[in-house]
Amino acid sequence: MRVAVVVYDGVFDSGLAAVLDVLDNANALGGQIHESAPTWNVTLVGPEPQVRTGNGLLVAPEPLDHARTADILVVPAFAGSDPAALLDHVGGDTSRAVRDLVAETRARGTTIASACAGTFLLAEAGVLDGLRATTTWWLSPVFRNRYPKVQLDHSQMVISSEGVTTAGAAFGHVDLALAIIRTSSPALADLVARYLVVDERPSQAAYIIPSALAQSDPTVAAFEVWTREHLAEPISIPEVAKAIGVSERTLQRSVQRTIGTSPIRFVQDLRIERSSHLLRTTDLSLETIARKVGYEHPNTLRVLLRERTGKTTSALRGNR
């Protein structure tokens, strides 16, 4: 399997290294499985003879046209935590050659994979239009606003759709590389994960901070503050809308546009966040915690916790 990994000025060091290290370990460990083990021939390609990573390391890639013969094109993330700088980069002239490569690769029908902020380059090139995709959870409001044609799901860790695989935040590059291996050999992917001690992370949901998402829109931010202050009470969306001075329709649209979910779902997310914190940090019974977050019956909370976090209440208490 020929893999072309794109490097460019400002590429995220850990993301790049994670992809290379996971694939290298797969090549080294392939002999331990009984089935015929696939191998990955990895080539770094870039728009310049020498590029500088986000942390200043110099990398000397092959020219971008070496990617034309690849079976998979991998686009690691752009480094940094400033959404404005990210948008300037993906939409600017400095990334044009990489965007063109992504578009040409897609047109040939070659598999493309990216993680974290690298998914913005794919979206900017238009290859995610109409597809399901994910990105780093805290950039999802920015992503959703800029690329409305993409069916974004920030709760998933890895999503594959019609030959394009995207993965979640920063260290989602590990999950992305394992997903690449898994398409050829699930057994080898599991073996690599065990050697590298990588836990299964099917979802980003457990890591999402609702308040961080809410700050992207003033209406959603006001909704979040009001809800947190009344979390133990029955919450009526029309009443909340009236309390924060907007129509119910405006509230529904603002939450959907910013977070990609309904107001009711966002209320549930806040309740799950609060109850998970109480389980980890107190000895309160589940019944007491349920009442504190607005649920009369603890089993309702128990089911939601398992659904959203993938963990039982006992497992959440065990994280203390």
Side-chain angles (χ1 to χ4, degrees), residues 16 28 78 88 147 157 245 277:
L16 171 61
F78 179 70
D88 285 344
Y147 310 114
M157 188 61 74
H277 174 74

Side-chain angles (χ1 to χ4, degrees), residues 210-218 220-221 224-225 258:
S211 58
L213 297 178
Q215 297 311 306
S216 299
D217 181 275
V220 182
E224 186 237 347
V225 170
T258 304

Side-chain angles (χ1 to χ4, degrees), residues 229-257:
E229 293 174 349
H230 300 81
L231 209 56
E233 307 166 15
I235 291 178
S236 163
I237 299 305
E239 291 179 4
V240 179
K242 183 178 180 180
I244 64 175
V246 299
S247 68
E248 182 181 357
R249 187 173 185 178
T250 295
L251 179 58
Q252 295 274 2
R253 286 181 170 179
S254 296
V255 174
Q256 183 65 45
R257 182 181 63 248

Side-chain angles (χ1 to χ4, degrees), residues 50-62:
Q50 188 177 76
V51 301
R52 190 177 296 274
T53 69
N55 276 325
L57 300 180
L58 295 177
V59 180
E62 300 293 337

